[in-house]
Amino acid sequence: MTVQPRFESHDILNQSPPYEDVDLFASDRALRDAVEANGAGAEAAALSEFGRHWGTAAMFDAARLANENTPKLKIFDTKGFRRDTIEFHPAYHAFMTESMKAGLHASTWTPDGKRAGAPSEVARAARYFMVAQVENGHMCPITMTRACVGALGVEPPVLAKLAAKITARSYDPRFIPWWEKDSITLGMGMTEKQGGTDVRANTTTAVASADGYTITGHKWFMSAPMCDAFLVLAQAPGGLTCFLMPRFRPDGSVNGLHFQRLKDKLGNRSNASSEVEFAQAFAWRVGEEGRGVRTIIEMVQLTRVDCVISSAGMMRMALAQALHHARHRTVFQKKLADQPMMRTLIADMALEVEGATALTMRLCRSFDLAATDAKEAARARLLTPAVKYWICKTAPGFIYEAMECLGGNGYVEETPLARLYREAPVNAIWEGSGNVMCLDVLRALSREGEAARAVLADLVRTCGDLPGAKEAAGFIAKTLSGPDGEAKARAAVEKLAMLAAAAALTESAPVVAEAFARTRLATPRGGTFGTSDLAESEAGELLNRALLQ
Ligand SMILES: Cc1cc2nc3c(=O)[nH]c(=O)nc-3n(C[C@H](O)[C@H](O)[C@H](O)COP(=O)(O)OP(=O)(O)OC[C@H]3O[C@@H](n4cnc5c(N)ncnc54)[C@H](O)[C@@H]3O)c2cc1C
């Protein structure tokens, strides 16, 4: 990059160089260790190549363009016919092309829609973690496409029809019937005006027709509306049921999805999120009538994991930006990274990212093994909502603190921190907001109590003599099984996620596990980062691991 070193009035001094043209994998010790410990070490060279590509200045700039040039809804064509299409900036399409080429929408499935097996979840998660550091909006349809396959598995004829198009690695944005396309993407619509959490209150109706069902009603949030088909919930005669609604009817005409407007969102601006009416739209039933929640939950668990990966990735980028800046910026004759308080602050943040990274990859390992290992399945069931709760809720405050490390530069749009900060809250809100995640942990404990208690015991065993681990497990069990367990669930669920993070660190980064357990389980830090009691040697280790120089 050519820069103008001198203005008429002053030389430019002491500005940190842009954080770009980096290898997002090789420079991240926590990620490398977690990938290795969770079975995907053989992918290291490929992940490094991926990390170098996604860490280029061109990718960061494309992310800015995709978010500054937001999607537009085109309801009608020039002659007044309804089209209901979305127009995106070319940068958005470029990201879709890249992510689909890398298989982020489907690499955990075989071409016929079966689980690909270990270590496909961890390998995909590592890539997703890096993509999330650059551009998150386009990952909405990528996430939903891969997750919907989980639900379609209950309706083999529908899955058989679509699997090859879903798992194809090319991106085909054309607005034409799915059977004419090289590949397709999938979205989902559950949330209605009167309720998103309580989907049983859905008022959209479904009536059987000759070749499928006719759906009438609305969805208040339906993201990525240019997808080729959507999993939707609607009330059929037998109760709430899951359906797959394509953009084109079987006769080739445009289906009755009428987009009302796009949401004007805080962040997530490269992605379109619609309000939609279903005007006698055609759909296939997925699963039995009345089993809608049961069916769609297969998809929901997978989207929740992606919320976790995305938030952990954004935290990682915020940390890297903060540390990179601190290493280059001098204040009071010393680099910021050498000022004692800044060292403690960034080391404390690095410790949080160590925990989030190890925990995320360990959770994905459980998804890798769940089909053949009942213990891992129980672990995924209990921990997914707990981990989503903790990591997705931590990310916004974490990113804010990283932003402050850059001073005023952090607050302006030229750094990615402003965008990351606006993006972060959505992962906590959608696919089960914070309280709902805690209720889900309680549900897992009440429905699969024995298996869930075994998971807790296993976490304690893995932690060994880490400070605070046994006490944390006692607190979690007592609080969640107590008479006011629901009222006090947040404290216990947060602790559960941190206990699981400490356990994950003993497996992938034992060198920092003790510090994590001491400052998160035994003597919890204060309400802000930088309040942990860390020795200088621990801070040095954490900073070295955080961003290899
Ligand atoms: C950018 C964006 C994209 C989205 N995309 C989609 C999409 O593609 N498809 C889709 O279907 N939806 C989508 N949503 C909607 C999202 O999933 C819902 O907003 C979310 O599920 C919450 O539902 P709600 O808004 O109706 O809030 P409510 O259900 O009214 O919940 C409000 C609050 O109450 C809490 N709460 C609920 N029940 C309880 C309880 N029993 N005890 C204590 N607290 C409780 C919740 O945690 C939440 O904090 C999207 C949302 C956003 C912001």
Side-chain angles (χ1 to χ4, degrees):
M1 187 178 56
T2 20
V3 289
Q4 180 189 354
R6 194 175 153 70
F7 278 67
E8 282 178 23
S9 61
H10 63 284
D11 290 325
I12 299 178
L13 304 171
N14 200 25
Q15 289 280 26
S16 57
Y19 180 70
E20 56 194 25
D21 294 326
V22 285
D23 181 336
L24 299 175
F25 185 71
S27 61
D28 183 348
R29 185 70 197 268
L31 177 61
R32 280 164 37 203
D33 287 349
V35 164
E36 172 78 34
N38 290 294
E43 297 254 354
L47 290 172
S48 192
E49 192 185 335
F50 187 86
R52 277 195 302 280
H53 179 53
W54 279 84
T56 55
M59 291 300 246
F60 285 112
D61 202 46
R64 178 185 63 76
L65 286 169
N67 283 275
E68 280 178 9
N69 300 281
T70 54
K72 292 181 184 57
L73 172 61
K74 302 278 175 189
I75 296 180
F76 300 103
D77 71 8
T78 45
K79 304 295 178 194
F81 292 101
R82 269 206 95 111
R83 296 285 285 172
D84 295 279
T85 56
I86 315 290
E87 190 177 273
F88 289 91
H89 187 271
Y92 174 91
H93 291 300
F95 279 119
M96 288 296 291
T97 303
E98 290 286 346
S99 287
M100 290 185 73
K101 189 173 77 181
L104 289 166
H105 67 300
S107 59
T108 57
W109 306 112
T110 62
D112 56 354
K114 306 259 178 351
R115 287 198 173 277
S120 62
E121 293 279 350
V122 173
R124 171 183 179 272
R127 290 182 173 85
Y128 197 136
F129 184 87
M130 291 187 267
V131 171
Q133 297 178 42
V134 182
E135 210 297 298
N136 277 275
H138 81 284
M139 293 305 278
C140 176
I142 296 286
T143 281
M144 293 193 293
T145 301
R146 100 95 178 199
C148 284
V149 177
L152 292 179
V154 306
E155 201 61 45
V158 175
L159 182 58
K161 220 178 344 216
L162 303 178
K165 304 262 183 206
I166 296 172
T167 55
R169 298 269 177 123
S170 57
Y171 169 54
D172 186 345
R174 291 175 296 165
F175 184 55
I176 54 175
W178 64 266
W179 57 89
E180 294 175 17
K181 296 188 67 164
D182 301 332
S183 67
I184 59 172
T185 53
L186 306 176
M188 54 99 173
M190 297 186 280
T191 307
E192 297 188 0
K193 286 174 181 155
Q194 71 284 353
T197 303
D198 185 5
V199 290
R200 290 188 189 278
N202 273 193
T203 59
T204 297
T205 57
V207 182
S209 62
D211 49 357
Y213 280 75
T214 301
I215 312 267
T216 307
H218 82 283
K219 295 294 162 185
W220 181 228
F221 278 89
M222 199 168 83
S223 287
M226 66 295 160
C227 287
D228 298 286
F230 300 85
L231 282 182
V232 299
L233 290 176
Q235 304 286 357
L240 193 68
T241 305
C242 183
F243 296 92
L244 186 71
M245 182 186 287
R247 286 302 311 272
F248 286 82
R249 297 175 193 276
D251 66 5
S253 62
V254 178
N255 202 2
L257 290 86
H258 293 170
F259 300 122
Q260 306 300 298
R261 58 176 172 170
L262 299 185
K263 301 284 190 190
D264 185 6
K265 295 174 289 183
L266 168 70
N268 194 246
R269 295 183 74 84
S270 64
N271 179 37
S273 299
S274 73
E275 295 166 17
V276 61
E277 278 198 57
F278 300 141
Q280 303 209 313
F282 165 84
W284 298 287
R285 183 170 45 74
V286 178
E288 291 169 32
E289 280 193 13
R291 303 268 297 164
V293 173
R294 185 71 231 113
T295 302
I296 213 147
I297 207 77
E298 297 296 328
M299 178 273 289
V300 168
Q301 280 294 83
L302 296 176
T303 50
R304 287 178 179 169
V305 175
D306 280 6
C307 292
V308 167
I309 304 167
S310 162
S311 288
M314 283 192 270
M315 287 167 64
R316 161 67 198 169
M317 176 49 63
L319 171 69
Q321 292 278 351
L323 182 52
H324 171 80
H325 180 76
R327 281 181 178 158
H328 288 90
R329 179 82 160 181
T330 300
V331 179
F332 300 132
Q333 292 83 49
K334 249 190 194 175
K335 291 279 187 254
L336 270 177
D338 296 326
Q339 299 281 6
M341 206 185 321
M342 187 59 99
R343 280 179 79 75
T344 308
L345 169 58
I346 302 183
D348 200 15
M349 294 169 69
L351 189 51
E352 195 84 343
V353 175
E354 288 270 5
T357 308
L359 180 57
T360 299
M361 295 303 150
R362 181 62 185 86
L363 180 64
C364 292
R365 172 97 175 137
S366 290
F367 277 83
D368 261 334
L369 302 177
T372 53
D373 184 334
K375 277 192 199 157
E376 292 294 336
R379 191 179 173 119
R381 171 68 191 91
L382 180 71
L383 293 186
T384 299
V387 177
K388 180 177 187 287
Y389 177 80
W390 178 56
I391 293 184
C392 296
K393 281 215 165 293
T394 301
F398 183 97
I399 295 165
Y400 147 67
E401 196 66 72
M403 181 188 283
E404 194 170 308
C405 293
L406 275 75
N409 282 352
Y411 195 71
V412 300
E413 288 292 334
E414 279 89 355
T415 65
L417 285 162
R419 190 175 68 246
L420 289 178
Y421 182 64
R422 283 186 272 102
E423 182 76 30
V426 71
N427 283 337
I429 292 174
W430 89 302
E431 282 305 48
S433 313
N435 290 353
V436 176
M437 290 300 85
C438 296
L439 291 172
D440 202 37
V441 171
L442 284 165
R443 197 172 302 118
L445 274 168
S446 76
R447 293 205 183 144
E448 296 142 52
E450 204 176 315
R453 281 188 291 279
V455 172
L456 200 54
D458 194 47
L459 292 178
V460 176
R461 233 186 339 270
T462 311
C463 283
D465 54 6
L466 286 185
K470 288 189 191 67
E471 294 77 5
F475 171 76
I476 294 161
K478 188 163 164 248
T479 307
L480 294 179
S481 60
D484 50 1
E486 186 173 327
K488 296 185 174 168
R490 275 182 169 233
V493 169
E494 182 180 281
K495 196 71 101 186
L496 173 59
M498 288 198 250
L499 176 67
L505 284 170
T506 63
E507 293 172 339
S508 63
V511 66
V512 300
E514 200 274 342
F516 186 91
R518 195 180 71 241
T519 58
R520 269 71 177 162
L521 298 177
T523 317
R525 62 174 176 83
T528 54
F529 288 101
T531 52
S532 290
D533 184 11
L534 294 171
E536 169 50 34
S537 58
E538 289 174 323
E541 176 78 43
L542 284 161
L543 295 175
N544 284 340
R545 286 175 58 83
L547 195 57
L548 302 188
Q549 305 188 63

